[in-house]
Amino acid sequence: MSNKTMIQIENLYRTFHHAGNAMPVLKDINLSIGQGECVVLKGVSGSGKTTLLSLIAGLDKPSSGKVLIEGEPISKLPDLFASELRAKKIGMIFQHFNLFEHLSVNENVTIPLIPSGLKMKEIHEKVDDALKVANIMHKKEVLASRLSGGEKQRTAIARALVASPNIILCDEPTANLDRDNSLLFIEILGELHRMGKTIVIATHDPLFDSLSFESTVIPMVDGMIG
Amino acid sequence: MIKPFVAFAVLLVILLFSMSLHYGLFPYSKATKTMQEMTALTHMTHLSLSVGYDESVYNSTYPEMTALGRMDFVYER
Amino acid sequence: MNANAFWHFLTLQLFKERSKHLSVIVISAMILFLLSSVLFISSSIRFSLEETLKVQPDFVVSRVQGGISVPTPMIWEDELIDIYGVSNVIQRVYGRYFFKAKERSFLIVGVDFLEEQSHENLQKLIAKTDIKAFLNGSKMLVGEGVKTYLDAHFYKDDYNFLTPEGTFEKVNIFKTLPFQSNLIANDMMVMPIDLARKILGYSEEEVSDITFNVPNPDEWDMMTDKVSALHYDLQVVNKKDVQKSYENLYNYKGGLFLILFLVVLSTFTLILYQRYSMVYSSERRNIGLLRALGWSINDVLKFKFTETLVIVFASYILGVFFAYVYVFVLGAPLLKEVFLGGQNLQNTLTFVPVLDFSVLTSIFLIYALPFIAAVLIPVWRVSVTEPKEAML
């Protein structure tokens, strides 16, 4: 494994304001994740792991501190560059899959590549590759609304992989899956790990306590790394 | 572009084209000429409005002119 | 953004969510259809009238006594001819004949067929007309509406007029006037002037009114004063007054049109509100998701703008096309009655196609700009918030 730092988090704070009250969700987070590492952020609901993931993906802005993706401060970049960085370097897998239900598997996976400027032929090739890795090629033309939970999750994996990002962020990926599908998901994660992807998982699922591949479990308690 | 959309776009173009074709090929000269010939013969240009026969109130033939048989002006005096 | 991939996804989204867009397209197209139909009819009627007004006499003189229109003495014709600058003085005999049993009326117009010019005009209007046969005995030319009506009431070949003297005058139907003239001749019965006099009760020294032309338009005001001074009971109406009265009748900026515009605008406001609130509810999550998947604010705005433009163009083309077919091909059933009335004879006129491009452009802008704004403003507001918030 290379020692190149993929994600660098420095003095990160995130405070929400509600009805005049300040609610600190993340407090002084410092973290460095190298290329090919798999980090599991473990904690109960409300511990701040999803917020941390959103900040890493540039979906939210920190109250103070910074997040660097391959040395670029995603939280400080203008929208155009932040979006480009997100499109090229980060793949997201959500708890509720967040698929476009009226589109097919193939069409859902295509979406991240639309603004890329690639030609349709190249897009089709990339989509097929991602579908193969996520083991959902056989459901390519099926509507997302007709898929089972596991199939939806594998579609979401393919969508996260299609732009060949180096970083994969997973927010409670097994929360809506049964045990078999959860194990299948972990198996695919292992495959991604072997491909050298940097993986960050926010979860409270005990299945992630003892993964078959090398991983670091970071506990989170009340917005701090424990 | 997906095929159904192309078909839809082609349909819209056909609609526009057929409209333009009808507009372009309409025998305007014949229509206006007949109207002008009719006027030349009768010296009348009033509209053939399909209104009720009540000429005590208005002149249906020539709306800009005095109503035929209008007496209210006299009675009011 | 690659145009191919962009258009592929755009059209795919439009078709996959067609049920959502279809209702907007259908309602918008219906509004545009209604609006365009009304404007097409009014433009067409105005066009036809303007064309005919070109050959209409400049002035009409009639006798009005105590506010009542009475027969005009023919002797006035000679007085008018004597005025310098007046030309083409023509006497007219016309009047409405009331078919009391069915409460319908026809317009009887008398033409002096002994004049050479009238012969020529009749030949031009109805080719191969045998003038001798027409003038032999009591005969008349009838408009299409009159013909249809008389046929339906078993007056296939002739009609018995009741004269003011209480006698019947049987007049044969010689020919039907060309349908292209239905806008002005639908309820017309054209007959020799003496026959018209007899039926309408005019003496040989009387006419309905007298028309004349004044070729120099600068003299019109002066001529009105001069002619009005001839007799205390003489009324003069000039062509501009006639034009004005028709403009008022079919001006889309007033009366019935104003009500229609208000109805259309309020319906349209509802559509815009529906579109506006839809972005906040169902589109909010989608926009947030697109942003999370690497789409920039510009990408989202471009996508939504193009999507809205496609919807706007589709509804506009459909609305205008169906209005065109409805008015200029089908003759605007139902709506025609609003314009021409439906109490008397049925008019089956064909409207002359007139596309007023300034009106069409105005309709498009009135419709398209608020529609696009109603979508893009909320899309922009959702897009600029952090994607995480948009997905909540």
Side-chain angles (χ1 to χ4, degrees), chain C residues 96-252:
Chain C
R96 293 205 82 83
Y97 184 86
F98 190 39
F99 182 28
K100 204 169 184 180
K102 295 286 176 184
E103 297 199 331
R104 293 288 187 273
S105 68
F106 315 116
L107 178 70
I108 292 176
V109 178
V111 174
D112 190 355
F113 284 106
L114 296 176
E115 275 185 19
E116 188 76 17
Q117 192 61 43
S118 300
H119 281 206
E120 285 175 21
N121 289 336
L122 184 63
Q123 286 290 358
K124 276 186 203 163
L125 186 68
I126 308 171
K128 294 173 190 166
T129 302
D130 185 352
I131 300 280
K132 278 185 188 166
F134 177 54
L135 295 176
N136 183 20
S138 298
K139 292 195 175 66
M140 63 178 170
L141 303 165
V142 294
E144 211 176 44
V146 177
K147 178 68 181 155
T148 313
Y149 189 77
L150 292 182
D151 274 352
H153 291 83
F154 309 107
Y155 294 102
K156 298 235 180 250
D157 303 316
D158 49 46
Y159 184 73
N160 283 319
F161 290 95
L162 183 63
T163 66
E165 281 88 40
T167 55
F168 281 102
E169 184 70 36
K170 185 178 172 184
V171 182
N172 290 312
I173 298 167
F174 185 68
K175 266 183 182 169
T176 308
L177 294 163
F179 72 93
Q180 289 96 337
S181 63
N182 273 5
L183 184 62
I184 55 171
N186 187 55
D187 60 352
M188 219 181 244
M189 288 171 154
V190 179
M191 57 182 72
I193 196 161
D194 292 335
L195 187 58
R197 272 204 178 95
K198 200 173 177 186
I199 294 167
L200 296 170
Y202 285 93
S203 76
E204 286 198 0
E205 299 303 314
E206 291 170 340
V207 290
S208 303
D209 52 34
I210 300 166
T211 65
F212 62 91
N213 286 347
V214 176
N216 182 0
D218 295 338
E219 284 185 25
W220 278 27
D221 289 339
M222 189 269 292
M223 194 59 76
T224 306
D225 295 340
K226 209 181 221 177
V227 172
S228 300
L230 284 176
H231 297 278
Y232 73 95
D233 53 356
L234 185 147
Q235 189 195 42
V236 190
V237 175
N238 71 33
K239 202 154 116 174
K240 284 179 195 159
D241 296 331
V242 181
Q243 268 168 334
K244 237 178 270 172
S245 71
Y246 282 127
E247 260 173 38
N248 289 340
L249 201 59
Y250 294 108
N251 188 348
Y252 65 84

Side-chain angles (χ1 to χ4, degrees), chain B residues 1-9 11-28 30-55 58-75, chain C residues 8 11-12 15 47-49 51-53 55-56 62 64 66-69 90 92 94 96 98 105 107 109 111 118 121-122 124-125 177-178 180-188 190 235 237 242 245-246 250 310 314 317-318 320-321 324 328-329 339-345 347 352-355:
Chain B
M1 262 188 254
I2 61 164
K3 276 179 193 166
F5 184 80
V6 174
F8 181 65
L11 177 77
L12 290 183
V13 171
I14 289 172
L15 295 185
L16 278 180
F17 181 71
S18 57
M19 196 169 95
S20 315
L21 205 67
H22 183 269
Y23 188 64
L25 297 178
F26 190 85
Y28 286 93
K30 172 72 184 160
T32 50
K33 216 175 121 201
T34 311
M35 294 270 281
Q36 288 179 352
E37 283 165 2
M38 192 70 217
T39 311
L41 179 71
T42 60
H43 309 289
M44 308 282 282
T45 53
H46 79 286
L47 276 183
S48 185
L49 296 174
S50 183
V51 289
Y53 185 79
D54 189 4
E55 300 206 335
Y58 58 90
N59 185 339
S60 60
T61 311
Y62 266 83
E64 75 279 7
M65 289 177 81
T66 319
L68 298 167
R70 189 169 157 234
M71 299 295 282
D72 54 344
F73 177 69
V74 180
Y75 292 139
Chain C
H8 178 84
T11 52
L12 189 72
F15 261 81
F47 171 80
S48 300
L49 279 172
E51 287 296 310
T52 36
L53 280 176
V55 290
Q56 205 220 11
S62 64
V64 176
I68 314 159
S69 196
I90 290 163
R92 299 196 300 194
Y94 64 89
R96 293 205 82 83
F98 190 39
S105 68
L107 178 70
V109 178
V111 174
S118 300
N121 289 336
L122 184 63
K124 276 186 203 163
L125 186 68
L177 294 163
Q180 289 96 337
S181 63
N182 273 5
L183 184 62
I184 55 171
N186 187 55
D187 60 352
M188 219 181 244
V190 179
Q235 189 195 42
V237 175
V242 181
S245 71
Y246 282 127
Y250 294 108
V310 170
I317 292 172
L318 288 174
V320 170
F321 173 78
Y324 186 94
F328 299 127
V329 179
F339 279 84
L340 301 177
Q343 287 171 282
N344 201 15
L345 304 181
N347 198 339
V352 176
V354 177
L355 294 179

Side-chain angles (χ1 to χ4, degrees), chain C residues 13-29:
Chain C
Q13 270 284 79
L14 278 168
F15 261 81
K16 290 287 174 108
E17 294 189 303
R18 59 183 172 274
S19 56
K20 191 172 81 182
H21 301 305
L22 215 58
S23 57
V24 175
I25 291 179
V26 168
I27 296 170
S28 303

